[in-house]
Amino acid sequence: MEEFASETDSDYTSYWRDWFVSSRGNEYFCEIDEEYLTDRFNLTGLNTEVHYYQHALDLVNDVFDLDCDDEMREAIEKSARHLYGLVHARYIVTTRGLAKMLDKYKKADFGKCPRVICDSHPLLPMGQSDIPHQKAVKMYCAKCEDIYNPKATRHATIDGAYFGSSFHNILFQVYPALIPEKSRARHMPRVFGFKVHVAAALARWQDGVRVEQQRGLREAGVENAAFLEDEGEVADEEDGFGQGGEQGGEDSREGGCRGRWGHGGGEGVKNVHES
Amino acid sequence: MSVTSSQSPESWISSFCSLIGHEYFAEVSEDFIEDDFNLTGLQSQVPMYKDALEMILDVEPSETGSSAISDEEEEEEDDGLLGEEQDEPGRRRTSHETRRHMRAGSDASVIESSAELLYGLIHARFITSRPGIQQMLEKYELGHFGHCPRVFCSGVKVLPVGRTDTPGQETVKLFCPGCLDVYTPPNSRFQAVDGAFFGTTFGCLFFMTFPDLDLSPRSLRHRTAEEDSSAITAQQNNSDTVVTASRSSSLTLPSAPGMPPTAQIYPTRKEEPIILPEQPATINGMATSNVAPGLGKGKIYEPRIYGFRVSERAKGGPRMRWLRSKPLDINEIDESRIWHAKYGGDPDGDPVAPVDETAGEGNGDGDGDGGGEDAVMASVTGQSQSQQTEGISVPAGQGQGQQGAAAATTVAGRRKAPMRRSKGRGRMGEGLDGGGVGGG
């Protein structure tokens, strides 16, 4: 931030936006068109949010020519960054903004999903709130539909409101072809090769939820409700509880047990009769 | 536990563990390595096993070996003089000589990489042993392995694990107990660490070994939230004026009504009060509060556009909620209890009988009997009306036998068998899922 001040203190004041989006830590931002910034309608309400609004706007638009001391200057620059962020949140849901962000998304400029099963699916920045100063930016993965903290600390301080809570969802509404195929694969914790019971039981329950959801979607005539049945572990093999097919689930589970402890069956039956 | 006790302060092991990218490793104690039993089978997996082992243990190379090796030792001078360049095709070497030459030539790199492989494989075994897992606990509690990147896990601490036990296949991953999922370490330096050096078992064994670990992220959540906002304000703070509520709402006018941060939405929208049945303290030896605390209602991301939830039926609607869901009533995944409530018998032979008994107990003794009777009657009425009153358990058993014929009983019997077995095998067995055999 220091270098920022010194740099702009020099005569070099043109292309503020250019400089802003290319400076380190601002990789998530795209450049806002000049036309968009100069249209007052797009800035509605921001004058109450941003201090030194007019000066900040001038700075962003490279027409800043106020003679002032360093302190003032710095304050204005802070405001300019804040203003840029807030306009950015509005800009990226416009057609042109979406296209720009889409380019960055395709280049994985926003990083890749840390979840192993998602196989480095590119992320999108998002905010959990549209109100500034509430939450830092988070990263949305369209494959697992979950949100993650950005990897680098320099990104963890960016305000989430500069991207907004709607942008990433709008992107996929506008470009439905980009919706990734969802995968049923999951990580299955194991101990010495055996599934861990609690995790496996939870996985079976979750699979029940999924099957239920898919059934609902099919009945509603929604297409594209299928899941990619691909590599990785699918906990489905033994369906199980909570899906109606309980008997079937039991059978396969029992089959598994029998294979391992074949001779245990008779003993167990006897035991039941005794009790 | 400390390796350095007997050795010089910079033993191979401790220097290995202090390398950049090796922060996840525990220092395997020399006692563990010196026990041959712990190394069973590794000889066939690691090239130049003996040299590698000597390197790990900081034993001077050589000596202990057979006469063959001492022969080589004598030839060493020749080799040294000849060097690699003079290895002309004309000169025939015995296999011994070749091996010797190889060793002399690429000593450092080959043995070093073998030693790293060997150490990694021993390490995977060590951290499942008592002292090893204890050492990893210390590292875990100090947060050496980092935190879950998932927002709704609120910074639960993670553990390094492998997705396979075969070396050379995948790099180390991080297992989050909050969402039972695995993540790629944030720092690329760990891309060079083999996952097999931690193994598939360690992750879950760790949390089964320390069931009392507090996985609730609450204490941490406050801190991260504060960090978030303070960081933002530090960066954004426009002089010292505070943004007023009216300002911010005017700013976000079109979306203001539905827009409070997600975390705040849940408490207000909660349909109070869902009275849950009594939650079990543990399921299969795992504390209920530690069963995926990062999942379930309120911990699932809800996509919204301008404050409105995206419908499940939309083309881009949410499809992965199941992955992060968890029953509100944890009893729903207590499968053995459900099963026994349905088909009779005690889960694992515990004195606590399912359902009926607990219902009866509430009413005191005399009533308790009555309650029990009723419950049993209810379940029996369908098929055998004849049995009445006393001797409840016996007729009930018979009734069931008649009803389901052989099927019910045998299924019950079979189910019973693994349960009994697991009792015999102790805690470990209980935690394992019988179904895994079929799946694997």
Side-chain angles (χ1 to χ4, degrees), chain B residues 78 84 91 109 125 158 167 229 253 260 262 265 270-271 290 322 347 372 399 407 420:
Chain B
D78 295 341
E84 269 185 286
R91 186 186 150 103
S109 56
R125 298 178 176 194
V158 292
S229 52
L253 196 58
T262 13
I265 286 174
K270 208 183 219 166
E271 307 94 17
N290 280 353
W322 57 274
R420 283 160 48 80

Side-chain angles (χ1 to χ4, degrees), chain B residues 263-397:
Chain B
Q264 286 173 23
I265 286 174
Y266 294 110
T268 52
R269 262 191 333 115
K270 208 183 219 166
E271 307 94 17
E272 290 287 342
I274 303 168
I275 295 167
L276 293 174
E278 200 187 332
Q279 302 293 294
T282 62
I283 295 185
N284 253 296
M286 200 178 231
T288 304
S289 59
N290 280 353
V291 177
L295 299 184
K297 198 169 158 47
K299 309 274 180 64
I300 307 171
Y301 172 66
E302 264 188 344
R304 282 166 182 265
I305 294 181
Y306 299 130
F308 298 98
R309 262 177 292 172
V310 179
S311 164
E312 204 170 65
R313 297 184 181 185
K315 196 155 189 222
R319 296 286 146 75
M320 297 295 285
R321 292 178 61 88
W322 57 274
L323 182 67
R324 305 304 194 195
S325 56
K326 186 176 90 169
L328 266 183
D329 177 8
I330 207 75
N331 284 311
E332 283 180 44
I333 61 167
D334 196 351
E335 291 183 348
S336 74
R337 209 166 83 161
I338 295 173
W339 198 93
H340 286 288
K342 202 161 183 172
Y343 299 104
D346 304 342
D348 212 16
D350 276 347
V352 191
V355 199
D356 332 55
E357 197 97 335
T358 42
E361 266 168 18
N363 304 339
D365 257 356
D367 287 352
D369 281 351
E373 238 171 65
D374 282 351
V376 174
M377 288 311 295
S379 69
V380 175
T381 30
Q383 54 288 340
S384 58
Q385 202 58 269
S386 55
Q387 273 83 15
Q388 295 264 5
T389 60
E390 320 300 309
I392 304 142
S393 65
V394 178

Side-chain angles (χ1 to χ4, degrees), chain B residues 214-277:
Chain B
D214 182 19
L215 297 182
S216 68
R218 254 172 282 114
S219 54
L220 211 87
R221 179 180 300 159
H222 291 301
R223 226 183 55 209
T224 29
E226 270 167 32
E227 272 169 11
D228 269 1
S229 52
S230 68
I232 290 172
T233 38
Q235 197 199 20
Q236 307 296 339
N237 206 355
N238 303 321
S239 51
D240 50 356
T241 29
V242 185
V243 182
T244 61
S246 63
R247 270 179 182 169
S248 50
S249 64
S250 75
L251 166 74
T252 53
L253 196 58
S255 48
M259 270 298 140
T262 13
Q264 286 173 23
I265 286 174
Y266 294 110
T268 52
R269 262 191 333 115
K270 208 183 219 166
E271 307 94 17
E272 290 287 342
I274 303 168
I275 295 167
L276 293 174

Side-chain angles (χ1 to χ4, degrees), chain A residues 114-115 146 168 197 267, chain B residues 150 181 184 284 301 324 420:
Chain A
R115 185 166 170 265
D146 211 338
H168 58 289
H197 175 70
E267 202 185 334
Chain B
R150 188 169 165 265
D181 215 332
T184 311
N284 253 296
Y301 172 66
R324 305 304 194 195
R420 283 160 48 80

Side-chain angles (χ1 to χ4, degrees), chain B residues 83-134:
Chain B
E84 269 185 286
E85 291 79 12
Q86 296 179 17
D87 189 2
E88 332 93 354
R91 186 186 150 103
R92 312 279 353 140
R93 286 172 170 275
T94 66
S95 66
H96 252 325
E97 277 172 325
T98 321
R99 196 171 68 87
R100 182 79 198 93
H101 180 257
M102 206 177 73
R103 181 180 165 183
S106 45
D107 226 9
S109 56
V110 174
I111 299 184
E112 182 72 30
S113 66
S114 282
E116 286 178 12
L117 174 65
L118 179 61
Y119 183 79
L121 294 174
I122 297 172
H123 182 265
R125 298 178 176 194
F126 175 69
I127 55 176
T128 57
S129 73
R130 194 175 290 271
I133 211 163
Q134 195 69 40

